Amino acid sequence: KQEVTQIPAALSVPEGENLVLNCSFTDSAIYNLQWFRQDPGKGLTSLLLIQSSQREQTSGRLNASLDKSSGRSTLYIAASQPGDSATYLCAVRLMDNYGQNFVFGPGTRLSVLP
Amino acid sequence: DTEVTQTPKHLVMGMTNKKSLKCEQHMGHRAMYWYKQKAKKPPELMFVYSYEKLSINESVPSRFSPECPNSSLLNLHLHALQPEDSALYLCASSQDSGGYRRETQYFGPGTRLLVL
């Protein structure tokens, strides 16, 4: 059974710092991995999607990498801002059930202090 | 337009009530999903509809009944719920046309449900 973990569970940094969030998964049979942001009590906003054949994706200050063989992904946030404060979740899209099954990690709660 | 809408935003219901949650997308996506999210926990997949047919039911109790009337709409009918069913219910959709399973999932804002 696929298990997804995220480290750290919570992170507090001063504004302007660069930071790395980690996501690990146990089964490399995935179609892709997606990073989301969730503000308290809200829905999920897609940040980056990395296909299983890709190594990284970039969008603005965000860069996500994927090492499928070792079951790891990282989300790098450059020059963090208070508006980045949220919970960041990674999710893998499994290859079983015709690729319609997703498993989420527990998330990393990020606080960026002004 | 990458918007998934959900109504209502908040819902309070008693254990004997019947209510429905509604989800709508107009992106032409062929796969739609229901997730349940408890506080400080990740979303858990409940149901998946693909081309308006139920393709995944993650052993969800029968007091939750999904319905996909057309390719843009997804409902979740609720009946005889328990207080532990209180949670944020999230709807999502993805393109997934032609068996291509690589697209982004787009989420709605969720319905916060409280069962008394």
Side-chain angles (χ1 to χ4, degrees), chain A residues 32 34 36 38 41-44 46 49 51 93 97-98 100-102 104-105, chain B residues 33 35 37 42 45 48 50 55 58 96 101-105 107-109 112:
Chain A
N32 56 46
Q34 196 165 352
F36 294 89
Q38 186 173 32
K42 306 288 186 182
L44 280 68
S46 177
L49 173 72
Q51 304 296 353
R93 184 165 193 160
N97 281 321
Y98 305 101
Q100 294 176 324
N101 203 350
F102 296 80
F104 280 79
Chain B
Y33 313 79
Y35 288 86
Q37 187 178 26
L45 187 64
V48 180
S50 179
S55 57
E58 291 286 3
D96 287 14
R101 309 290 184 199
R102 295 176 178 271
E103 289 90 354
T104 298
Q105 264 199 328
F107 279 80
R112 185 159 298 284

PDB file of all heavy atoms in Angstrom, chain A residues 32 34 36 38 41-44 46 49 51 93 97-98 100-102 104-105, chain B residues 33 35 37 42 45 48 50 55 58 96 101-105 107-109 112:
ATOM      1  N   ASN A  32       2.335  10.515 -11.662  1.00  0.00           N
ATOM      2  CA  ASN A  32       2.891  11.834 -11.419  1.00  0.00           C
ATOM      3  C   ASN A  32       2.800  12.185  -9.947  1.00  0.00           C
ATOM      4  O   ASN A  32       2.225  11.435  -9.144  1.00  0.00           O
ATOM      5  CB  ASN A  32       2.180  12.903 -12.275  1.00  0.00           C
ATOM      6  CG  ASN A  32       0.673  12.926 -12.070  1.00  0.00           C
ATOM      7  OD1 ASN A  32       0.202  12.898 -10.949  1.00  0.00           O
ATOM      8  ND2 ASN A  32      -0.076  12.997 -13.159  1.00  0.00           N
ATOM      9  N   GLN A  34       2.015  15.717  -7.507  1.00  0.00           N
ATOM     10  CA  GLN A  34       1.511  17.084  -7.562  1.00  0.00           C
ATOM     11  C   GLN A  34       1.708  17.738  -6.203  1.00  0.00           C
ATOM     12  O   GLN A  34       1.452  17.124  -5.160  1.00  0.00           O
ATOM     13  CB  GLN A  34       0.019  17.059  -7.940  1.00  0.00           C
ATOM     14  CG  GLN A  34      -0.546  18.370  -8.411  1.00  0.00           C
ATOM     15  CD  GLN A  34      -1.903  18.191  -9.104  1.00  0.00           C
ATOM     16  OE1 GLN A  34      -2.359  17.084  -9.360  1.00  0.00           O
ATOM     17  NE2 GLN A  34      -2.542  19.293  -9.408  1.00  0.00           N
ATOM     18  N   PHE A  36       0.458  20.864  -3.769  1.00  0.00           N
ATOM     19  CA  PHE A  36      -0.678  21.745  -3.546  1.00  0.00           C
ATOM     20  C   PHE A  36      -0.386  22.667  -2.371  1.00  0.00           C
ATOM     21  O   PHE A  36       0.396  22.358  -1.478  1.00  0.00           O
ATOM     22  CB  PHE A  36      -1.943  20.955  -3.193  1.00  0.00           C
ATOM     23  CG  PHE A  36      -2.474  20.085  -4.288  1.00  0.00           C
ATOM     24  CD1 PHE A  36      -2.048  18.778  -4.426  1.00  0.00           C
ATOM     25  CD2 PHE A  36      -3.431  20.582  -5.171  1.00  0.00           C
ATOM     26  CE1 PHE A  36      -2.560  17.968  -5.421  1.00  0.00           C
ATOM     27  CE2 PHE A  36      -3.943  19.773  -6.170  1.00  0.00           C
ATOM     28  CZ  PHE A  36      -3.519  18.462  -6.285  1.00  0.00           C
ATOM     29  N   GLN A  38      -2.701  24.711   0.634  1.00  0.00           N
ATOM     30  CA  GLN A  38      -4.029  24.826   1.233  1.00  0.00           C
ATOM     31  C   GLN A  38      -3.998  25.869   2.336  1.00  0.00           C
ATOM     32  O   GLN A  38      -3.234  25.733   3.307  1.00  0.00           O
ATOM     33  CB  GLN A  38      -4.521  23.491   1.783  1.00  0.00           C
ATOM     34  CG  GLN A  38      -5.954  23.540   2.289  1.00  0.00           C
ATOM     35  CD  GLN A  38      -6.509  22.189   2.686  1.00  0.00           C
ATOM     36  OE1 GLN A  38      -5.774  21.321   3.146  1.00  0.00           O
ATOM     37  NE2 GLN A  38      -7.823  21.997   2.506  1.00  0.00           N
ATOM     38  N   GLY A  41      -9.037  26.074   6.155  1.00  0.00           N
ATOM     39  CA  GLY A  41     -10.455  25.954   5.854  1.00  0.00           C
ATOM     40  C   GLY A  41     -10.815  26.108   4.392  1.00  0.00           C
ATOM     41  O   GLY A  41     -11.993  26.224   4.047  1.00  0.00           O
ATOM     42  N   LYS A  42      -9.815  26.111   3.529  1.00  0.00           N
ATOM     43  CA  LYS A  42     -10.056  26.331   2.094  1.00  0.00           C
ATOM     44  C   LYS A  42      -9.755  25.080   1.286  1.00  0.00           C
ATOM     45  O   LYS A  42      -9.269  24.077   1.809  1.00  0.00           O
ATOM     46  CB  LYS A  42      -9.165  27.481   1.577  1.00  0.00           C
ATOM     47  CG  LYS A  42      -9.303  28.772   2.353  1.00  0.00           C
ATOM     48  CD  LYS A  42     -10.626  29.456   2.097  1.00  0.00           C
ATOM     49  CE  LYS A  42     -10.665  30.815   2.778  1.00  0.00           C
ATOM     50  NZ  LYS A  42     -11.968  31.479   2.589  1.00  0.00           N
ATOM     51  N   GLY A  43     -10.026  25.172  -0.013  1.00  0.00           N
ATOM     52  CA  GLY A  43      -9.685  24.088  -0.904  1.00  0.00           C
ATOM     53  C   GLY A  43      -8.195  24.079  -1.240  1.00  0.00           C
ATOM     54  O   GLY A  43      -7.422  24.865  -0.701  1.00  0.00           O
ATOM     55  N   LEU A  44      -7.809  23.176  -2.120  1.00  0.00           N
ATOM     56  CA  LEU A  44      -6.411  23.031  -2.501  1.00  0.00           C
ATOM     57  C   LEU A  44      -6.128  23.767  -3.802  1.00  0.00           C
ATOM     58  O   LEU A  44      -6.913  23.686  -4.750  1.00  0.00           O
ATOM     59  CB  LEU A  44      -6.059  21.556  -2.676  1.00  0.00           C
ATOM     60  CG  LEU A  44      -5.783  20.737  -1.429  1.00  0.00           C
ATOM     61  CD1 LEU A  44      -7.022  20.546  -0.572  1.00  0.00           C
ATOM     62  CD2 LEU A  44      -5.167  19.398  -1.799  1.00  0.00           C
ATOM     63  N   SER A  46      -3.435  23.969  -6.859  1.00  0.00           N
ATOM     64  CA  SER A  46      -2.331  23.245  -7.478  1.00  0.00           C
ATOM     65  C   SER A  46      -1.156  24.195  -7.722  1.00  0.00           C
ATOM     66  O   SER A  46      -1.328  25.301  -8.236  1.00  0.00           O
ATOM     67  CB  SER A  46      -2.775  22.640  -8.804  1.00  0.00           C
ATOM     68  OG  SER A  46      -1.688  21.989  -9.435  1.00  0.00           O
ATOM     69  N   LEU A  49       2.971  20.241 -11.058  1.00  0.00           N
ATOM     70  CA  LEU A  49       2.739  18.838 -11.379  1.00  0.00           C
ATOM     71  C   LEU A  49       3.981  18.309 -12.066  1.00  0.00           C
ATOM     72  O   LEU A  49       4.454  18.906 -13.038  1.00  0.00           O
ATOM     73  CB  LEU A  49       1.533  18.698 -12.308  1.00  0.00           C
ATOM     74  CG  LEU A  49       1.242  17.317 -12.877  1.00  0.00           C
ATOM     75  CD1 LEU A  49       0.712  16.406 -11.789  1.00  0.00           C
ATOM     76  CD2 LEU A  49       0.253  17.406 -14.024  1.00  0.00           C
ATOM     77  N   GLN A  51       5.487  14.983 -13.945  1.00  0.00           N
ATOM     78  CA  GLN A  51       5.211  13.654 -14.489  1.00  0.00           C
ATOM     79  C   GLN A  51       6.321  12.699 -14.039  1.00  0.00           C
ATOM     80  O   GLN A  51       7.434  13.118 -13.741  1.00  0.00           O
ATOM     81  CB  GLN A  51       5.139  13.698 -16.014  1.00  0.00           C
ATOM     82  CG  GLN A  51       4.134  14.686 -16.572  1.00  0.00           C
ATOM     83  CD  GLN A  51       2.702  14.357 -16.226  1.00  0.00           C
ATOM     84  OE1 GLN A  51       2.412  13.302 -15.654  1.00  0.00           O
ATOM     85  NE2 GLN A  51       1.793  15.255 -16.536  1.00  0.00           N
ATOM     86  N   ARG A  93      -0.138  10.183  -7.876  1.00  0.00           N
ATOM     87  CA  ARG A  93      -1.196   9.567  -8.661  1.00  0.00           C
ATOM     88  C   ARG A  93      -0.743   8.145  -8.950  1.00  0.00           C
ATOM     89  O   ARG A  93       0.220   7.921  -9.676  1.00  0.00           O
ATOM     90  CB  ARG A  93      -1.416  10.335  -9.947  1.00  0.00           C
ATOM     91  CG  ARG A  93      -2.563   9.805 -10.774  1.00  0.00           C
ATOM     92  CD  ARG A  93      -2.968  10.811 -11.837  1.00  0.00           C
ATOM     93  NE  ARG A  93      -4.243  10.440 -12.416  1.00  0.00           N
ATOM     94  CZ  ARG A  93      -5.031  11.272 -13.076  1.00  0.00           C
ATOM     95  NH1 ARG A  93      -4.673  12.521 -13.244  1.00  0.00           N
ATOM     96  NH2 ARG A  93      -6.163  10.855 -13.569  1.00  0.00           N
ATOM     97  N   ASN A  97      -6.019   1.072 -10.509  1.00  0.00           N
ATOM     98  CA  ASN A  97      -7.359   1.647 -10.709  1.00  0.00           C
ATOM     99  C   ASN A  97      -7.379   2.632 -11.874  1.00  0.00           C
ATOM    100  O   ASN A  97      -7.972   3.706 -11.775  1.00  0.00           O
ATOM    101  CB  ASN A  97      -7.854   2.333  -9.431  1.00  0.00           C
ATOM    102  CG  ASN A  97      -8.391   1.343  -8.417  1.00  0.00           C
ATOM    103  OD1 ASN A  97      -9.053   0.379  -8.764  1.00  0.00           O
ATOM    104  ND2 ASN A  97      -8.076   1.576  -7.170  1.00  0.00           N
ATOM    105  N   TYR A  98      -6.723   2.266 -12.962  1.00  0.00           N
ATOM    106  CA  TYR A  98      -6.687   3.101 -14.161  1.00  0.00           C
ATOM    107  C   TYR A  98      -6.149   4.507 -13.883  1.00  0.00           C
ATOM    108  O   TYR A  98      -6.529   5.467 -14.530  1.00  0.00           O
ATOM    109  CB  TYR A  98      -8.086   3.195 -14.791  1.00  0.00           C
ATOM    110  CG  TYR A  98      -8.685   1.850 -15.095  1.00  0.00           C
ATOM    111  CD1 TYR A  98      -9.632   1.280 -14.273  1.00  0.00           C
ATOM    112  CD2 TYR A  98      -8.257   1.131 -16.208  1.00  0.00           C
ATOM    113  CE1 TYR A  98     -10.152   0.029 -14.543  1.00  0.00           C
ATOM    114  CE2 TYR A  98      -8.777  -0.130 -16.483  1.00  0.00           C
ATOM    115  CZ  TYR A  98      -9.721  -0.666 -15.644  1.00  0.00           C
ATOM    116  OH  TYR A  98     -10.237  -1.900 -15.910  1.00  0.00           O
ATOM    117  N   GLN A 100      -6.660   6.465 -11.356  1.00  0.00           N
ATOM    118  CA  GLN A 100      -7.614   7.403 -10.787  1.00  0.00           C
ATOM    119  C   GLN A 100      -7.522   7.469  -9.274  1.00  0.00           C
ATOM    120  O   GLN A 100      -8.395   8.035  -8.626  1.00  0.00           O
ATOM    121  CB  GLN A 100      -9.033   7.023 -11.205  1.00  0.00           C
ATOM    122  CG  GLN A 100      -9.244   7.193 -12.690  1.00  0.00           C
ATOM    123  CD  GLN A 100     -10.613   6.720 -13.113  1.00  0.00           C
ATOM    124  OE1 GLN A 100     -11.133   5.760 -12.593  1.00  0.00           O
ATOM    125  NE2 GLN A 100     -11.205   7.417 -14.062  1.00  0.00           N
ATOM    126  N   ASN A 101      -6.487   6.901  -8.728  1.00  0.00           N
ATOM    127  CA  ASN A 101      -6.336   6.883  -7.283  1.00  0.00           C
ATOM    128  C   ASN A 101      -5.198   7.804  -6.881  1.00  0.00           C
ATOM    129  O   ASN A 101      -4.107   7.742  -7.442  1.00  0.00           O
ATOM    130  CB  ASN A 101      -6.046   5.462  -6.803  1.00  0.00           C
ATOM    131  CG  ASN A 101      -6.434   5.268  -5.359  1.00  0.00           C
ATOM    132  OD1 ASN A 101      -6.742   6.234  -4.672  1.00  0.00           O
ATOM    133  ND2 ASN A 101      -6.411   4.041  -4.897  1.00  0.00           N
ATOM    134  N   PHE A 102      -5.485   8.676  -5.933  1.00  0.00           N
ATOM    135  CA  PHE A 102      -4.506   9.637  -5.445  1.00  0.00           C
ATOM    136  C   PHE A 102      -4.283   9.413  -3.953  1.00  0.00           C
ATOM    137  O   PHE A 102      -5.233   9.159  -3.221  1.00  0.00           O
ATOM    138  CB  PHE A 102      -4.991  11.070  -5.642  1.00  0.00           C
ATOM    139  CG  PHE A 102      -5.154  11.473  -7.081  1.00  0.00           C
ATOM    140  CD1 PHE A 102      -6.279  11.102  -7.795  1.00  0.00           C
ATOM    141  CD2 PHE A 102      -4.176  12.225  -7.717  1.00  0.00           C
ATOM    142  CE1 PHE A 102      -6.428  11.475  -9.116  1.00  0.00           C
ATOM    143  CE2 PHE A 102      -4.326  12.607  -9.042  1.00  0.00           C
ATOM    144  CZ  PHE A 102      -5.447  12.227  -9.744  1.00  0.00           C
ATOM    145  N   PHE A 104      -2.460  11.378  -0.665  1.00  0.00           N
ATOM    146  CA  PHE A 104      -1.866  12.624  -0.198  1.00  0.00           C
ATOM    147  C   PHE A 104      -0.938  12.378   0.984  1.00  0.00           C
ATOM    148  O   PHE A 104      -1.159  11.477   1.806  1.00  0.00           O
ATOM    149  CB  PHE A 104      -2.962  13.589   0.261  1.00  0.00           C
ATOM    150  CG  PHE A 104      -3.640  14.318  -0.851  1.00  0.00           C
ATOM    151  CD1 PHE A 104      -4.620  13.707  -1.606  1.00  0.00           C
ATOM    152  CD2 PHE A 104      -3.288  15.631  -1.149  1.00  0.00           C
ATOM    153  CE1 PHE A 104      -5.249  14.378  -2.637  1.00  0.00           C
ATOM    154  CE2 PHE A 104      -3.907  16.307  -2.177  1.00  0.00           C
ATOM    155  CZ  PHE A 104      -4.887  15.680  -2.918  1.00  0.00           C
ATOM    156  N   GLY A 105       0.074  13.220   1.088  1.00  0.00           N
ATOM    157  CA  GLY A 105       0.869  13.272   2.291  1.00  0.00           C
ATOM    158  C   GLY A 105       0.158  14.100   3.350  1.00  0.00           C
ATOM    159  O   GLY A 105      -0.822  14.786   3.044  1.00  0.00           O
TER     160      GLY A 105
ATOM    161  N   TYR B  33     -14.101  13.903  -8.626  1.00  0.00           N
ATOM    162  CA  TYR B  33     -13.723  13.209  -7.396  1.00  0.00           C
ATOM    163  C   TYR B  33     -14.389  13.844  -6.176  1.00  0.00           C
ATOM    164  O   TYR B  33     -14.571  15.060  -6.128  1.00  0.00           O
ATOM    165  CB  TYR B  33     -12.200  13.310  -7.177  1.00  0.00           C
ATOM    166  CG  TYR B  33     -11.341  12.996  -8.375  1.00  0.00           C
ATOM    167  CD1 TYR B  33     -11.158  13.931  -9.383  1.00  0.00           C
ATOM    168  CD2 TYR B  33     -10.687  11.773  -8.482  1.00  0.00           C
ATOM    169  CE1 TYR B  33     -10.358  13.654 -10.481  1.00  0.00           C
ATOM    170  CE2 TYR B  33      -9.881  11.490  -9.568  1.00  0.00           C
ATOM    171  CZ  TYR B  33      -9.717  12.431 -10.573  1.00  0.00           C
ATOM    172  OH  TYR B  33      -8.917  12.158 -11.654  1.00  0.00           O
ATOM    173  N   TYR B  35     -13.577  14.033  -2.034  1.00  0.00           N
ATOM    174  CA  TYR B  35     -12.643  13.766  -0.950  1.00  0.00           C
ATOM    175  C   TYR B  35     -13.269  14.219   0.366  1.00  0.00           C
ATOM    176  O   TYR B  35     -14.041  15.167   0.404  1.00  0.00           O
ATOM    177  CB  TYR B  35     -11.345  14.570  -1.126  1.00  0.00           C
ATOM    178  CG  TYR B  35     -10.426  14.110  -2.222  1.00  0.00           C
ATOM    179  CD1 TYR B  35     -10.590  14.541  -3.537  1.00  0.00           C
ATOM    180  CD2 TYR B  35      -9.349  13.269  -1.937  1.00  0.00           C
ATOM    181  CE1 TYR B  35      -9.722  14.132  -4.534  1.00  0.00           C
ATOM    182  CE2 TYR B  35      -8.466  12.859  -2.923  1.00  0.00           C
ATOM    183  CZ  TYR B  35      -8.668  13.298  -4.220  1.00  0.00           C
ATOM    184  OH  TYR B  35      -7.797  12.905  -5.208  1.00  0.00           O
ATOM    185  N   GLN B  37     -11.968  15.554   4.176  1.00  0.00           N
ATOM    186  CA  GLN B  37     -10.784  16.018   4.898  1.00  0.00           C
ATOM    187  C   GLN B  37     -11.154  16.412   6.314  1.00  0.00           C
ATOM    188  O   GLN B  37     -11.917  17.352   6.525  1.00  0.00           O
ATOM    189  CB  GLN B  37     -10.119  17.198   4.176  1.00  0.00           C
ATOM    190  CG  GLN B  37      -8.788  17.604   4.809  1.00  0.00           C
ATOM    191  CD  GLN B  37      -8.108  18.740   4.074  1.00  0.00           C
ATOM    192  OE1 GLN B  37      -8.743  19.545   3.408  1.00  0.00           O
ATOM    193  NE2 GLN B  37      -6.775  18.812   4.184  1.00  0.00           N
ATOM    194  N   PRO B  42      -4.755  15.052   5.819  1.00  0.00           N
ATOM    195  CA  PRO B  42      -4.822  15.208   4.360  1.00  0.00           C
ATOM    196  C   PRO B  42      -6.169  14.743   3.818  1.00  0.00           C
ATOM    197  O   PRO B  42      -6.894  14.019   4.494  1.00  0.00           O
ATOM    198  CB  PRO B  42      -3.700  14.282   3.873  1.00  0.00           C
ATOM    199  CG  PRO B  42      -3.576  13.246   4.935  1.00  0.00           C
ATOM    200  CD  PRO B  42      -3.875  13.938   6.228  1.00  0.00           C
ATOM    201  N   LEU B  45      -9.552  10.131  -0.443  1.00  0.00           N
ATOM    202  CA  LEU B  45     -10.412   9.891  -1.597  1.00  0.00           C
ATOM    203  C   LEU B  45     -11.623   9.053  -1.191  1.00  0.00           C
ATOM    204  O   LEU B  45     -11.495   8.049  -0.487  1.00  0.00           O
ATOM    205  CB  LEU B  45      -9.614   9.166  -2.677  1.00  0.00           C
ATOM    206  CG  LEU B  45     -10.282   8.959  -4.017  1.00  0.00           C
ATOM    207  CD1 LEU B  45     -10.560  10.287  -4.707  1.00  0.00           C
ATOM    208  CD2 LEU B  45      -9.415   8.080  -4.906  1.00  0.00           C
ATOM    209  N   VAL B  48     -14.680   8.268  -7.226  1.00  0.00           N
ATOM    210  CA  VAL B  48     -14.214   8.808  -8.497  1.00  0.00           C
ATOM    211  C   VAL B  48     -15.241   8.469  -9.566  1.00  0.00           C
ATOM    212  O   VAL B  48     -15.689   7.329  -9.655  1.00  0.00           O
ATOM    213  CB  VAL B  48     -12.843   8.237  -8.917  1.00  0.00           C
ATOM    214  CG1 VAL B  48     -12.402   8.843 -10.249  1.00  0.00           C
ATOM    215  CG2 VAL B  48     -11.799   8.495  -7.846  1.00  0.00           C
ATOM    216  N   SER B  50     -15.670   8.599 -13.705  1.00  0.00           N
ATOM    217  CA  SER B  50     -14.966   8.758 -14.969  1.00  0.00           C
ATOM    218  C   SER B  50     -15.980   8.602 -16.088  1.00  0.00           C
ATOM    219  O   SER B  50     -16.672   7.579 -16.162  1.00  0.00           O
ATOM    220  CB  SER B  50     -13.864   7.708 -15.101  1.00  0.00           C
ATOM    221  OG  SER B  50     -13.202   7.836 -16.333  1.00  0.00           O
ATOM    222  N   SER B  55     -16.246   4.877 -10.880  1.00  0.00           N
ATOM    223  CA  SER B  55     -15.138   3.963 -11.131  1.00  0.00           C
ATOM    224  C   SER B  55     -14.405   3.569  -9.859  1.00  0.00           C
ATOM    225  O   SER B  55     -13.750   2.526  -9.824  1.00  0.00           O
ATOM    226  CB  SER B  55     -14.154   4.571 -12.136  1.00  0.00           C
ATOM    227  OG  SER B  55     -13.676   5.820 -11.677  1.00  0.00           O
ATOM    228  N   GLU B  58     -14.150   4.057  -2.407  1.00  0.00           N
ATOM    229  CA  GLU B  58     -13.158   3.637  -1.425  1.00  0.00           C
ATOM    230  C   GLU B  58     -13.827   3.152  -0.135  1.00  0.00           C
ATOM    231  O   GLU B  58     -13.582   3.674   0.941  1.00  0.00           O
ATOM    232  CB  GLU B  58     -12.187   4.788  -1.123  1.00  0.00           C
ATOM    233  CG  GLU B  58     -11.268   5.125  -2.269  1.00  0.00           C
ATOM    234  CD  GLU B  58     -10.173   4.088  -2.464  1.00  0.00           C
ATOM    235  OE1 GLU B  58     -10.139   3.067  -1.745  1.00  0.00           O
ATOM    236  OE2 GLU B  58      -9.339   4.271  -3.356  1.00  0.00           O
ATOM    237  N   ASP B  96      -8.308  13.932 -18.065  1.00  0.00           N
ATOM    238  CA  ASP B  96      -8.342  12.476 -18.211  1.00  0.00           C
ATOM    239  C   ASP B  96      -9.120  11.994 -19.418  1.00  0.00           C
ATOM    240  O   ASP B  96      -9.817  10.991 -19.364  1.00  0.00           O
ATOM    241  CB  ASP B  96      -8.910  11.820 -16.943  1.00  0.00           C
ATOM    242  CG  ASP B  96      -7.905  11.887 -15.817  1.00  0.00           C
ATOM    243  OD1 ASP B  96      -6.933  12.643 -15.944  1.00  0.00           O
ATOM    244  OD2 ASP B  96      -8.100  11.213 -14.803  1.00  0.00           O
ATOM    245  N   ARG B 101      -3.776   9.771 -18.221  1.00  0.00           N
ATOM    246  CA  ARG B 101      -3.895   9.922 -16.771  1.00  0.00           C
ATOM    247  C   ARG B 101      -2.831  10.814 -16.183  1.00  0.00           C
ATOM    248  O   ARG B 101      -2.268  10.521 -15.144  1.00  0.00           O
ATOM    249  CB  ARG B 101      -3.811   8.542 -16.106  1.00  0.00           C
ATOM    250  CG  ARG B 101      -4.748   7.509 -16.678  1.00  0.00           C
ATOM    251  CD  ARG B 101      -6.174   7.821 -16.336  1.00  0.00           C
ATOM    252  NE  ARG B 101      -7.056   6.763 -16.804  1.00  0.00           N
ATOM    253  CZ  ARG B 101      -8.345   6.915 -16.976  1.00  0.00           C
ATOM    254  NH1 ARG B 101      -8.906   8.066 -16.751  1.00  0.00           N
ATOM    255  NH2 ARG B 101      -9.080   5.912 -17.384  1.00  0.00           N
ATOM    256  N   ARG B 102      -2.538  11.889 -16.836  1.00  0.00           N
ATOM    257  CA  ARG B 102      -1.403  12.661 -16.363  1.00  0.00           C
ATOM    258  C   ARG B 102      -1.736  14.102 -15.992  1.00  0.00           C
ATOM    259  O   ARG B 102      -0.868  14.878 -15.654  1.00  0.00           O
ATOM    260  CB  ARG B 102      -0.313  12.667 -17.442  1.00  0.00           C
ATOM    261  CG  ARG B 102       0.261  11.294 -17.684  1.00  0.00           C
ATOM    262  CD  ARG B 102       1.266  11.312 -18.816  1.00  0.00           C
ATOM    263  NE  ARG B 102       1.847   9.995 -19.010  1.00  0.00           N
ATOM    264  CZ  ARG B 102       2.931   9.568 -18.378  1.00  0.00           C
ATOM    265  NH1 ARG B 102       3.568  10.353 -17.539  1.00  0.00           N
ATOM    266  NH2 ARG B 102       3.380   8.362 -18.586  1.00  0.00           N
ATOM    267  N   GLU B 103      -3.021  14.473 -16.091  1.00  0.00           N
ATOM    268  CA  GLU B 103      -3.327  15.874 -15.911  1.00  0.00           C
ATOM    269  C   GLU B 103      -3.470  16.285 -14.461  1.00  0.00           C
ATOM    270  O   GLU B 103      -3.642  15.472 -13.567  1.00  0.00           O
ATOM    271  CB  GLU B 103      -4.614  16.238 -16.660  1.00  0.00           C
ATOM    272  CG  GLU B 103      -4.467  16.239 -18.160  1.00  0.00           C
ATOM    273  CD  GLU B 103      -4.777  14.881 -18.748  1.00  0.00           C
ATOM    274  OE1 GLU B 103      -4.992  13.926 -17.996  1.00  0.00           O
ATOM    275  OE2 GLU B 103      -4.791  14.782 -19.988  1.00  0.00           O
ATOM    276  N   THR B 104      -3.450  17.609 -14.298  1.00  0.00           N
ATOM    277  CA  THR B 104      -3.587  18.231 -12.982  1.00  0.00           C
ATOM    278  C   THR B 104      -4.993  18.029 -12.430  1.00  0.00           C
ATOM    279  O   THR B 104      -5.972  18.075 -13.169  1.00  0.00           O
ATOM    280  CB  THR B 104      -3.307  19.740 -13.116  1.00  0.00           C
ATOM    281  OG1 THR B 104      -1.971  19.911 -13.574  1.00  0.00           O
ATOM    282  CG2 THR B 104      -3.477  20.458 -11.785  1.00  0.00           C
ATOM    283  N   GLN B 105      -5.077  17.831 -11.119  1.00  0.00           N
ATOM    284  CA  GLN B 105      -6.359  17.857 -10.426  1.00  0.00           C
ATOM    285  C   GLN B 105      -6.643  19.282  -9.973  1.00  0.00           C
ATOM    286  O   GLN B 105      -5.777  19.927  -9.383  1.00  0.00           O
ATOM    287  CB  GLN B 105      -6.305  16.965  -9.180  1.00  0.00           C
ATOM    288  CG  GLN B 105      -6.828  15.584  -9.368  1.00  0.00           C
ATOM    289  CD  GLN B 105      -7.183  14.924  -8.040  1.00  0.00           C
ATOM    290  OE1 GLN B 105      -6.568  15.180  -7.022  1.00  0.00           O
ATOM    291  NE2 GLN B 105      -8.176  14.066  -8.065  1.00  0.00           N
ATOM    292  N   PHE B 107      -9.196  21.569  -7.574  1.00  0.00           N
ATOM    293  CA  PHE B 107     -10.078  21.421  -6.430  1.00  0.00           C
ATOM    294  C   PHE B 107     -11.027  22.598  -6.278  1.00  0.00           C
ATOM    295  O   PHE B 107     -10.682  23.740  -6.585  1.00  0.00           O
ATOM    296  CB  PHE B 107      -9.261  21.294  -5.138  1.00  0.00           C
ATOM    297  CG  PHE B 107      -8.727  19.908  -4.909  1.00  0.00           C
ATOM    298  CD1 PHE B 107      -7.593  19.481  -5.573  1.00  0.00           C
ATOM    299  CD2 PHE B 107      -9.356  19.047  -4.037  1.00  0.00           C
ATOM    300  CE1 PHE B 107      -7.097  18.193  -5.382  1.00  0.00           C
ATOM    301  CE2 PHE B 107      -8.862  17.755  -3.823  1.00  0.00           C
ATOM    302  CZ  PHE B 107      -7.740  17.336  -4.497  1.00  0.00           C
ATOM    303  N   GLY B 108     -12.212  22.304  -5.761  1.00  0.00           N
ATOM    304  CA  GLY B 108     -13.133  23.341  -5.347  1.00  0.00           C
ATOM    305  C   GLY B 108     -12.793  23.816  -3.941  1.00  0.00           C
ATOM    306  O   GLY B 108     -11.914  23.269  -3.289  1.00  0.00           O
ATOM    307  N   PRO B 109     -13.516  24.838  -3.456  1.00  0.00           N
ATOM    308  CA  PRO B 109     -13.229  25.408  -2.140  1.00  0.00           C
ATOM    309  C   PRO B 109     -13.716  24.542  -0.985  1.00  0.00           C
ATOM    310  O   PRO B 109     -13.323  24.773   0.160  1.00  0.00           O
ATOM    311  CB  PRO B 109     -13.971  26.745  -2.165  1.00  0.00           C
ATOM    312  CG  PRO B 109     -15.088  26.517  -3.132  1.00  0.00           C
ATOM    313  CD  PRO B 109     -14.566  25.577  -4.167  1.00  0.00           C
ATOM    314  N   ARG B 112     -17.979  22.808   4.192  1.00  0.00           N
ATOM    315  CA  ARG B 112     -17.702  22.436   5.583  1.00  0.00           C
ATOM    316  C   ARG B 112     -18.982  21.913   6.203  1.00  0.00           C
ATOM    317  O   ARG B 112     -19.965  22.633   6.323  1.00  0.00           O
ATOM    318  CB  ARG B 112     -17.172  23.616   6.377  1.00  0.00           C
ATOM    319  CG  ARG B 112     -16.765  23.205   7.812  1.00  0.00           C
ATOM    320  CD  ARG B 112     -15.793  24.159   8.444  1.00  0.00           C
ATOM    321  NE  ARG B 112     -14.528  24.260   7.732  1.00  0.00           N
ATOM    322  CZ  ARG B 112     -13.557  23.350   7.772  1.00  0.00           C
ATOM    323  NH1 ARG B 112     -13.703  22.250   8.478  1.00  0.00           N
ATOM    324  NH2 ARG B 112     -12.435  23.552   7.099  1.00  0.00           N
TER     325      ARG B 112
END
